[in-house]
Amino acid sequence: MDAVAAEGFAGIKPAMLEYFMGIAFNNDREYFLATRTDYEENVKRPLYALAEALLPAALEIDADFEQRPARIVSRIRRDTRFTKDKSPYRDHMWLSFYPVGKAKSECFGLYYSISVTESCYGAGFYESDPARAKWMRETMLRRQDDFLDVLTQPDFARHYRVLGEDYKRMEIPEKLHPALYELYRKKNFYVEHTDGVGPKIERPEYAQEIADGLRLLGPLYQLMMSE
């Protein structure tokens, strides 16, 4: 176990959100170095602990998921080589669960994300891919009952929203069940549960709530990774 994750998860505290706000307004190396202890104690340590707390639930879904907190928790430093935004540091962080040896872009991964305004978790594809979107539509037509069983399961439907960018023009096949129309139109898709940043995220019990939510994603994950 990483030393940073040695202590149990104690909740997402206001100090983490305050750090995100500070780095957003002072996004440079000098500020980061001056506040590195703050980052280590109030951002990295609790997120590593959360990764450890969520790992058992994630491994129930896929035993091949990455288990090292350093690979699960995002880095605060951004890769600015291929983006117009050259801000060196993130003002938010996330956890991602995906199989060892596979690129995130290939996987329907599980995630948790925290920013100044939002705490959320879910599952989805990391990047848009027209070929994958085509595969999704073909698979949906072929396995409508399987998709309906997952997406209309009451606990899942109450907990998660289907999100993503829609194709502006997409003809819906007559044989497709209406409950699948929304998903069929997606260029990319993910399902997400949002909690905001209210008092409940500050409690240690929040890790168990996230874990229970991730377990609801198991059938969808298996469906996405079965082809």
Side-chain angles (χ1 to χ4, degrees), residues 159-218:
H159 205 72
Y160 287 105
R161 296 179 299 154
V162 175
L163 301 171
E165 186 180 0
D166 290 344
Y167 283 104
K168 293 182 179 179
R169 297 180 180 180
M170 175 57 63
E171 185 176 348
I172 304 296
E174 291 184 4
K175 66 178 181 179
L176 186 69
H177 192 285
L180 299 178
Y181 286 1
E182 181 181 18
L183 184 56
Y184 193 86
R185 295 189 180 99
K186 298 298 182 189
K187 290 183 180 180
N188 64 314
F189 95 98
Y190 58 102
V191 297
E192 186 170 276
H193 175 85
T194 302
D195 286 319
V197 290
K200 81 168 183 174
I201 76 170
E202 299 178 23
R203 301 194 296 266
E205 295 80 12
Y206 187 49
Q208 184 61 56
E209 186 173 324
I210 299 171
D212 291 342
L214 294 182
R215 288 186 176 95
L216 292 175
L217 296 169

Side-chain angles (χ1 to χ4, degrees), residues 32-102:
F32 175 74
L33 293 178
T35 60
R36 185 159 191 161
T37 299
D38 185 10
Y39 164 71
E40 295 282 345
E41 293 297 321
N42 296 319
V43 180
K44 187 175 181 179
R45 182 180 297 276
L47 290 181
Y48 272 46
L50 180 58
E52 291 282 359
L54 298 181
L55 192 55
L59 292 177
E60 289 176 19
I61 296 171
D62 191 337
D64 290 332
F65 275 153
E66 175 64 67
Q67 299 186 38
R68 293 168 290 180
R71 296 294 183 91
I72 296 171
V73 179
S74 64
R75 297 179 179 181
I76 190 72
R77 178 81 188 191
R78 298 178 64 245
D79 183 350
T80 60
R81 291 174 299 170
F82 309 110
T83 177
K84 292 181 180 179
D85 180 3
K86 299 302 180 182
S87 303
Y89 300 100
R90 295 187 173 93
D91 59 359
H92 61 285
M93 296 279 280
W94 66 84
L95 283 61
S96 55
F97 295 95
Y98 57 96
V100 175
K102 289 191 176 182

Side-chain angles (χ1 to χ4, degrees), residues 7-21 38-39 41-47 49-50 112 114-119 196-207:
E7 298 180 7
F9 178 69
I12 301 294
K13 304 302 184 183
M16 185 186 296
L17 308 186
E18 291 166 6
Y19 182 83
F20 289 152
M21 189 174 297
D38 185 10
Y39 164 71
E41 293 297 321
N42 296 319
V43 180
K44 187 175 181 179
R45 182 180 297 276
L47 290 181
L50 180 58
Y112 168 78
I114 178 68
S115 69
V116 171
T117 59
E118 190 170 77
S119 176
V197 290
K200 81 168 183 174
I201 76 170
E202 299 178 23
R203 301 194 296 266
E205 295 80 12
Y206 187 49

Side-chain angles (χ1 to χ4, degrees), residues 135 150 216 224:
W135 166 83
V150 170
L216 292 175
M224 291 295 97

